[in-house]
Amino acid sequence: MIIVRTKGTGSIHRDAKEIALCISYFKIQRSRPKVVVMGHSTGCQDVMEYLCRLEVSQQADGQLDGAILQAPVSDREALVIIMGKDAYDRSWKHAQRLIKAGRGGEIMSAQITLDVFEAPCTASRWYSLSSPLHDGDDDFFSSDTPLENLEATFGKITPAKTPFLILYSGADEFTPRSVDKKALVERWIEVCRRFGVNVDVVNSGIIEGATHNFAGCPEAVVKDFLGRVGRFLKTIEGGLEGGGLMSKV
């Protein structure tokens, strides 16, 4: 299994192309018959970029056998929690001004971003993560995402038969308290099903009591997560074709 995280000086499109190279390496050079990719947090954007925006010709040699989103929170909504609304607004507007001035590759000042990232972050990437205008490349998971945007992402997963698992932490500290996590995930799943995406409706859902990265979680919570992932992987190992996971509804 390839686990994906990402940083602030690149782009999710670059990340997705690098994921394709990794998958090809394991499929061909290492002769691994099954490859599943898991994205954690911001890494979930990379997985989505690979599945729904990367041209088929750019995808890996040898089809991806499964994809998992673990803690797919909205970075935009998380930034408001971390920074406070005023500092957040100043940050994305500053990034927008830099981009309009042709300086999208410029590193954002740590005084503006409040050291949210351990690594430097360009204006373009910060805007992609933080824009409230629904135009950021990273903005897959915000609770206020318009339906047409979801249809262009969750509804465009390619190939649609790729087994797909969504696991959202029930006590994720980076999700606003006002967000109904269960309804949010169900909305994504409904779009997937409507467009024929092979989403695992049995194991996808909320991991009750789970924090963003499972820090401090009871053993039962971790076992719930591992159990869902294990069952998902066993289904893939069993070789079910597209629709096999959905057929369990």
Side-chain angles (χ1 to χ4, degrees):
M1 180 187 294
I2 301 170
I3 300 178
V4 181
R5 300 190 71 176
T6 187
K7 292 297 182 182
T9 56
S11 68
I12 56 172
H13 189 69
R14 186 192 72 181
D15 293 344
K17 290 194 289 186
E18 291 177 352
I19 289 171
L21 293 175
C22 289
I23 295 169
S24 296
Y25 170 77
F26 283 109
K27 282 276 192 177
I28 299 172
Q29 300 297 325
R30 299 296 297 273
S31 300
R32 298 294 174 88
K34 303 282 185 181
V35 176
V36 175
V37 63
M38 174 188 285
H40 165 69
S41 191
T42 304
C44 292
Q45 280 104 272
D46 289 331
V47 174
M48 289 296 290
E49 180 77 6
Y50 179 89
L51 290 172
C52 68
R53 290 183 182 153
L54 205 63
E55 295 291 337
V56 174
S57 62
Q58 294 178 309
Q59 289 188 358
D61 294 326
Q63 183 184 321
L64 182 64
D65 296 287
I68 303 171
L69 304 183
Q70 190 268 311
V73 301
S74 163
D75 282 289
R76 167 164 63 86
E77 293 174 341
L79 286 172
V80 176
I81 294 173
I82 296 168
M83 303 175 70
K85 186 66 165 61
D86 290 343
Y88 157 77
D89 281 337
R90 288 194 298 271
S91 75
W92 77 261
K93 289 176 182 178
H94 178 69
Q96 185 184 56
R97 286 193 294 270
L98 289 176
I99 293 169
K100 288 182 177 180
R103 297 161 59 191
E106 187 170 312
I107 299 297
M108 294 281 287
S109 167
Q111 290 182 324
I112 295 176
T113 63
L114 299 182
D115 291 325
V116 172
F117 286 162
E118 295 176 359
C121 186
T122 63
S124 292
R125 187 63 195 276
W126 187 266
Y127 185 83
S128 178
L129 292 164
S130 63
S131 171
L133 306 179
H134 304 295
D135 58 350
D137 289 340
D138 280 84
D139 195 10
F140 290 96
F141 309 122
S142 294
S143 59
D144 61 353
T145 300
L147 179 60
E148 57 266 29
N149 288 28
L150 295 179
E151 291 174 344
T153 54
F154 284 92
K156 296 297 183 182
I157 288 174
T158 304
K161 67 178 182 179
T162 304
F164 187 50
L165 178 66
I166 305 170
L167 298 175
Y168 206 107
S169 294
D172 200 309
E173 60 271 32
F174 297 115
T175 301
R177 293 183 180 180
S178 59
V179 173
D180 184 333
K181 302 178 186 70
K182 184 174 184 291
L184 181 65
V185 173
E186 287 176 349
R187 190 177 184 223
W188 299 341
I189 290 174
E190 176 56 30
V191 172
C192 287
R193 294 185 65 191
R194 188 152 49 85
F195 283 83
V197 174
N198 193 19
V199 61
D200 185 344
V201 297
V202 175
N203 293 300
S204 291
I206 307 300
I207 308 295
E208 296 296 343
T211 57
H212 188 65
N213 63 0
F214 292 92
C217 287
E219 183 178 352
V221 173
V222 178
K223 283 185 175 180
D224 182 13
F225 165 69
L226 294 176
R228 292 172 189 248
V229 172
R231 291 189 294 273
F232 176 73
L233 294 177
K234 281 186 178 180
T235 303
I236 293 171
E237 189 177 13
L240 283 179
E241 295 296 328
L245 298 172
M246 291 178 62
S247 67
K248 293 183 179 181
V249 180

